[in-house]
Amino acid sequence: MNGPASAVDLSRKAERAAVAVVCRRLRRAYGPVEWPQQGPVLDELIAAVLSQNTSDANSGPAFEELRRQFPDWDQVRRAPVARIAAAIRQAGLANRKAPRIKEILQRIYGERGGSSLEFLHERTAGEALEYLTTFPGVGPKTAACVLLFACRKPVLPVDTHVHRVAQRIGLIGPRTDANQAHRELSGMVVADRVLEFHIQLIRHGRAVCTARRPQCRDCALLDLCREGRRRLSAGDLEPG
Ligand code: SF4
């Protein structure tokens, strides 16, 4: 016979219910989320490294230019760092990203005898996350993006929008740092909601709950949001 649920079980249940409500509200506001096209794992990792500290508008063309100049990853691995840096210049920080990309490719080739990370499909999410975060410049967010989008594993990437919106609506504390946010939110978001939660919070963070001027009056989450209520009572909302 099951014993009474512990306080921890109950609060976890409440957190998951809150996540479900947030997803439902944001689905109504922004529409459903579809899986993006799935590509090779190594492509996703290099694209994720290029996207660090820049926008998709810059990292996307940089990735295309890298592939145009070097149609396969072995060519990039053997190329001088300066040539790689020239190819990815549009992504910014090219002199930091180029040696990082070359080192990643050299290590994979040294360990696996080829330029592929497809074996990660067979690993558990935890094993794959641990493996990817051993590469230079690959933290939990970058690794989670690779595993979610290329492997469709339920690993939640916590980017700046996800972190900010989750803090404001009170899912995590106001002083929770990025690594702690990753751990706490990962426990609250069930596997089949990970993609939707990630994408919807990014949409919301870009469109309404922006860093400097959140549009709380137009927000689908206002009644759930402690920061929105604080702003409302303090009268520091943007004009509606
Ligand atoms: S009410 Fe304001 S602070 Fe809260 S989620 Fe909406 S826009 Fe962000």
Side-chain angles (χ1 to χ4, degrees):
M1 199 171 88
N2 291 334
S6 71
V8 174
D9 291 340
L10 289 174
S11 76
R12 178 47 44 92
K13 225 172 149 183
E15 287 165 351
R16 289 182 174 175
V19 165
V21 172
V22 167
C23 286
R24 195 163 57 239
R25 295 276 188 93
L26 296 180
R27 196 181 315 133
R28 262 189 238 136
Y30 303 111
V33 169
E34 307 289 343
W35 279 104
Q37 205 183 348
Q38 201 174 4
V41 185
L42 183 53
D43 288 30
E44 193 70 41
L45 176 60
I46 302 299
V49 169
L50 286 174
S51 74
Q52 292 169 344
N53 304 104
T54 192
S55 66
D56 293 351
N58 288 327
S59 67
F63 182 84
E64 295 307 320
E65 183 58 20
L66 184 65
R67 297 318 314 258
R68 193 187 67 75
Q69 291 191 27
F70 304 97
D72 73 61
W73 293 121
D74 282 333
Q75 291 172 304
V76 181
R77 175 176 58 81
R78 290 193 300 262
V81 167
R83 277 205 59 206
I84 303 171
I88 64 170
R89 192 150 316 281
Q90 192 174 345
L93 302 174
N95 292 336
R96 199 183 303 168
K97 292 175 183 176
R100 207 172 265 177
I101 288 169
K102 186 170 168 99
E103 193 180 334
I104 288 171
L105 293 171
Q106 284 177 323
R107 212 188 98 192
I108 293 169
Y109 190 83
E111 286 176 3
R112 314 287 312 173
S115 296
S116 169
L117 287 175
E118 294 308 297
F119 73 97
L120 289 178
H121 286 283
E122 312 307 321
R123 300 284 170 92
T124 66
E127 288 167 351
L129 192 67
E130 196 180 329
Y131 174 78
L132 286 176
T133 51
T134 62
F135 285 102
V138 179
K141 188 196 83 176
T142 300
C145 281
V146 173
L147 295 175
L148 181 63
F149 294 113
C151 300
R152 299 198 174 176
K153 292 186 188 291
V155 184
L156 179 69
V158 179
D159 79 338
T160 180
H161 299 294
V162 173
H163 192 178
R164 181 178 65 255
V165 176
Q167 272 181 332
R168 285 178 172 168
I169 63 180
L171 287 174
I172 54 175
R175 279 181 286 280
T176 306
D177 69 18
N179 287 337
Q180 202 181 344
H182 175 81
R183 280 195 301 277
E184 291 185 14
L185 290 170
S186 295
M188 291 178 207
V189 183
V190 294
D192 61 4
R193 257 192 243 287
V194 167
L195 177 75
E196 180 174 30
F197 183 81
H198 172 71
I199 299 285
Q200 298 291 26
L201 263 66
I202 290 176
R203 289 173 173 175
H204 194 55
R206 285 180 177 155
V208 174
C209 191
T210 54
R212 293 196 179 179
R213 297 157 75 92
Q215 309 288 312
C216 300
R217 284 192 204 285
D218 298 326
C219 178
L221 306 179
L222 177 59
D223 60 314
L224 308 173
C225 178
R226 65 182 177 190
E227 175 65 12
R229 286 197 299 273
R230 187 195 66 73
R231 285 172 181 262
L232 195 63
S233 60
D236 63 349
L237 294 177
E238 286 295 301

